Amino acid sequence: MTKISFSEMKRTVKQAFLNAGLSEKQADICAQIHTETSCDGIFSHGLNRVARFVDYVNKGWVDIQAEPELIKSLASMEIYDGCRGIGITNALFATERAMALAKEYGVGIVGMRNTTHWMRGGTYGWKAAQQGYAAMCWTNTESCMPAWGAKNTRLGNNPFVMAVPTEEGALVLDMAMSQYAYGKLQVTRLKGEKLPFPGGYDKEGNLTDEPGPIEESMRILPTGYWKGSGMAILLDAMAAFLTAGSPTNEIDKVQEGSCTGASQIYMVFDPTHFGGAEWSETMAKSVADYVKTSTPAEGCHEVFYPGEMEMRNRANFMRSGIPVDDGVWAEVQQLAERN
């Protein structure tokens, strides 16, 4: 596995996006987010997603000319149509608007319907937390997971994000409603490894820790079994409810790649309207510190709080380079070749 510097990865990804027709500004923003994502160790939604995004642009499934259109303003809440524009730029716009509303009202909510894949959902939690805000965000998706007790896909894995700033970082939860997202299955398969715990069923209905058979069957396991299944259903319904957008059963009819037509919610909270920034950051740090003083279980050496591994990876990979799968890197380099 090769290691690539942050600057080289961003430069290469940006050129791939420029070749796909994105503007200078769009390409720079999207390359930054994809590279930050890989630098945090979330390879599945960073470099590994570049080729798929370019493919969607080339097919016209992502409209690179589109901008979000305001549908409705309800004081502390705004609803936008994403017009199937670039998922990252739509999501960053929604996060910025939610922060502006939160600064004024204490709570800011932005609903974004008819958008496209936002890549790593945690990005928008990190962006809010780095500016001192707390956030809750989620998206629905096309069907890619069976409901608990079912064999065929009827649920999105509907990623959910929560972020609270601390004195030196943030608590950031970024999770799909499946035990493992498909991106994690891909990364594990590319490494030739097994999952740490069973992640789904093969075509014969056998629970397995082999990623390949789960990808083939699409029978990924809901996190918490029936609980993750229930959460996925309600996150889907709430995203559509708050945006007057599409639920999963309508997104399935689009048939233009992953998350095209999705509905998303961005909720942001300004601590100055609650306990104050100093109090909230100190409180959140105390939560992290309390978790860190846990006694490790058998076979474990350390207990982590959500977001801690990303911060460690970020510091490490900025120094030593970002690990890349050689096949994925070659594909992106090819997309970046100047004509």
Side-chain angles (χ1 to χ4, degrees), residues 20-215:
L22 274 67
S23 69
E24 174 76 20
K25 181 178 179 181
Q26 289 172 332
D28 190 74
I29 291 170
C30 291
Q32 178 73 22
I33 297 303
H34 278 269
T35 307
E36 285 179 357
T37 299
S38 275
C39 192
D40 282 5
I42 315 299
F43 311 113
S44 59
H45 288 67
L47 190 73
N48 294 22
R49 289 273 172 158
V50 170
R52 185 188 299 187
F53 173 73
V54 169
D55 180 53
Y56 287 8
V57 170
N58 290 339
K59 289 176 176 175
W61 293 353
V62 175
D63 182 356
I64 61 176
Q65 305 300 327
E67 298 287 345
E69 294 181 359
L70 180 65
I71 301 300
K72 186 174 290 188
S73 178
L74 302 166
S76 64
M77 181 175 184
E78 294 177 350
I79 302 171
Y80 290 84
D81 189 317
C83 301
R84 299 193 187 170
I86 298 170
I88 285 176
T89 55
N90 278 353
L92 289 171
F93 169 84
T95 305
E96 291 290 339
R97 283 302 305 147
M99 286 191 287
L101 292 169
K103 187 173 183 179
E104 182 176 359
Y105 296 104
V107 178
I109 305 174
V110 171
M112 181 73 69
R113 72 190 189 201
N114 193 33
T115 188
T116 61
H117 203 305
W118 64 359
M119 301 303 160
R120 175 179 60 154
T123 292
Y124 314 106
W126 282 108
K127 294 299 180 188
Q130 286 163 354
Q131 296 191 49
Y133 296 89
M136 297 173 64
C137 315
W138 71 93
T139 182
N140 61 8
T141 76
E142 76 286 354
S143 291
C144 59
M145 178 172 73
W148 181 249
K151 292 174 66 174
N152 57 328
T153 59
R154 285 292 182 269
L155 310 183
N157 59 359
N158 302 343
F160 179 68
V161 177
M162 286 194 290
V164 179
T166 65
E167 293 174 348
E168 297 178 353
L171 302 170
V172 180
L173 175 71
D174 179 9
M175 61 177 286
M177 291 300 114
S178 54
Q179 184 65 41
Y180 299 102
Y182 279 99
K184 176 66 173 178
L185 298 181
Q186 179 203 37
V187 168
T188 306
R189 173 173 49 78
L190 289 173
K191 289 181 178 178
E193 296 176 355
K194 292 186 177 182
L195 299 164
F197 302 96
Y201 301 90
D202 62 21
K203 285 186 172 181
E204 286 71 46
N206 302 305
L207 198 61
T208 180
D209 57 6
E210 294 279 358
I214 301 170
E215 291 173 297

Side-chain angles (χ1 to χ4, degrees), residues 279-293:
W279 178 88
S280 64
E281 291 182 8
T282 301
M283 174 279 299
K285 183 178 185 300
S286 76
V287 172
D289 290 345
Y290 197 54
V291 171
K292 293 298 293 180
T293 60

Side-chain angles (χ1 to χ4, degrees), residues 237-305:
M238 284 297 293
F241 174 85
L242 291 171
T243 61
S246 295
T248 290
N249 55 44
E250 292 296 326
I251 297 170
D252 281 351
K253 298 174 185 176
V254 174
Q255 295 293 302
E256 292 184 353
S258 177
C259 289
T260 304
S263 305
Q264 299 171 346
I265 303 298
Y266 304 80
M267 302 174 65
V268 173
F269 309 87
D270 184 346
T272 60
H273 291 260
F274 301 99
E278 183 178 353
W279 178 88
S280 64
E281 291 182 8
T282 301
M283 174 279 299
K285 183 178 185 300
S286 76
V287 172
D289 290 345
Y290 197 54
V291 171
K292 293 298 293 180
T293 60
S294 301
T295 302
E298 295 80 4
C300 297
H301 301 291
E302 189 175 359
V303 179
F304 297 95
Y305 59 82

